[in-house]
Amino acid sequence: EQNCIMFDSKRRLWIGAQEGALMIDWDKFKFDNTKSKIKVHLLQTGNDTIKHIANNTIEIAPEKRNIKIEFGLDKNPSLLKNVFFDYTLISEDNDTLENIRYDQNGKLDLKYLPPGHYTLNIIAKKHGQWMDELTIQIYARHSIAENPLFWVSLFILLLLISIGFLWYRHKAKNAVLERELRLSQLT
């Protein structure tokens, strides 16, 4: 009923437990030390799938602000699911929107991303050690109605139209008064 570990004369490691024993031939045993790169498998904005990320930069149209990113390892010859991902989505104001640690699924699904610049930092770790890192810049464009310059321009335009209308009305009223004054001087 005891767990035990034993190394025998034939360089075999025996690990005993209540349900049985495990034997590892130490001369043939290899630790998983494969290196792999992080790869984005799927990137969707709205209903559009983006095939290629140029310069690790994504630009999102205003009407397609929901974003779905699926990532994982480019190649993992060991086929072991021993890689964990830490990923963080940070806004241009250094606010953390998402911070996921020790995830093996590699999926980020945001229903709405406000306009602005964001940095998605993905770190792959194997056996708790850093393996690879991928940084993606995301730019969610403003729609015309979300752009502060649009509202300032619209306010200035309406102000100019109002001033023009008042000026025209004042000139027209003065013209009528001058005409009435001339008519009254003639009679």
Side-chain angles (χ1 to χ4, degrees):
E1 293 185 23
Q2 284 288 6
N3 298 335
C4 68
I5 297 176
M6 182 183 89
F7 202 69
D8 69 9
S9 61
K10 294 183 182 178
R11 295 185 47 83
R12 294 181 296 194
L13 177 67
W14 292 85
I15 302 171
Q18 290 177 352
E19 282 97 33
L22 172 70
M23 188 268 303
I24 299 172
D25 188 346
W26 199 255
D27 293 328
K28 294 179 184 176
F29 180 75
K30 286 186 176 180
F31 283 101
D32 178 18
N33 59 0
T34 56
K35 299 286 183 194
S36 296
K37 293 283 189 190
I38 299 171
K39 180 180 179 182
V40 175
H41 299 299
L42 175 72
L43 173 61
Q44 284 183 322
T45 60
N47 294 327
D48 296 341
T49 300
I50 298 173
K51 302 279 186 206
H52 178 70
I53 304 173
N55 299 324
N56 288 340
T57 304
I58 303 166
E59 188 169 325
I60 300 173
E63 63 277 0
K64 298 179 180 178
R65 292 253 187 77
N66 56 324
I67 184 169
K68 183 177 186 178
I69 301 174
E70 293 181 8
F71 53 89
L73 296 179
D74 185 19
K75 296 175 186 170
N76 188 3
S78 69
L79 298 176
L80 296 177
K81 195 156 176 75
N82 59 357
V83 177
F84 293 87
F85 297 101
D86 296 346
Y87 47 98
T88 308
L89 182 65
I90 302 171
S91 72
E92 59 193 331
D93 300 326
N94 286 327
D95 290 334
T96 302
L97 301 177
E98 291 282 330
N99 187 18
I100 309 297
R101 302 184 56 78
Y102 306 113
D103 178 48
Q104 287 189 305
N105 297 326
K107 293 181 182 180
L108 178 64
D109 192 3
L110 298 171
K111 301 300 179 200
Y112 176 77
L113 193 62
H117 292 275
Y118 301 92
T119 302
L120 175 62
N121 192 29
I122 305 168
I123 298 173
K125 293 180 181 178
K126 184 191 296 187
H127 305 299
Q129 300 295 317
W130 181 91
M131 178 189 205
D132 190 29
E133 186 170 354
L134 176 65
T135 301
I136 300 172
Q137 300 297 322
I138 302 171
Y139 175 57
R141 295 188 325 221
H142 285 88
S143 69
I144 190 97
E146 292 172 324
N147 193 340
L149 187 59
F150 168 77
W151 292 106
V152 170
S153 301
L154 183 64
F155 175 74
I156 291 172
L157 180 65
L158 290 174
L159 185 64
L160 290 174
I161 289 172
S162 299
I163 290 172
F165 175 73
L166 291 174
W167 180 77
Y168 173 76
R169 205 168 115 191
H170 176 71
K171 284 290 202 180
K173 191 176 183 181
N174 281 347
V176 168
L177 288 175
E178 282 181 26
R179 196 171 344 128
E180 286 178 1
L181 182 63
R182 272 188 263 132
L183 283 175
S184 66
Q185 288 174 351
L186 289 175
T187 54

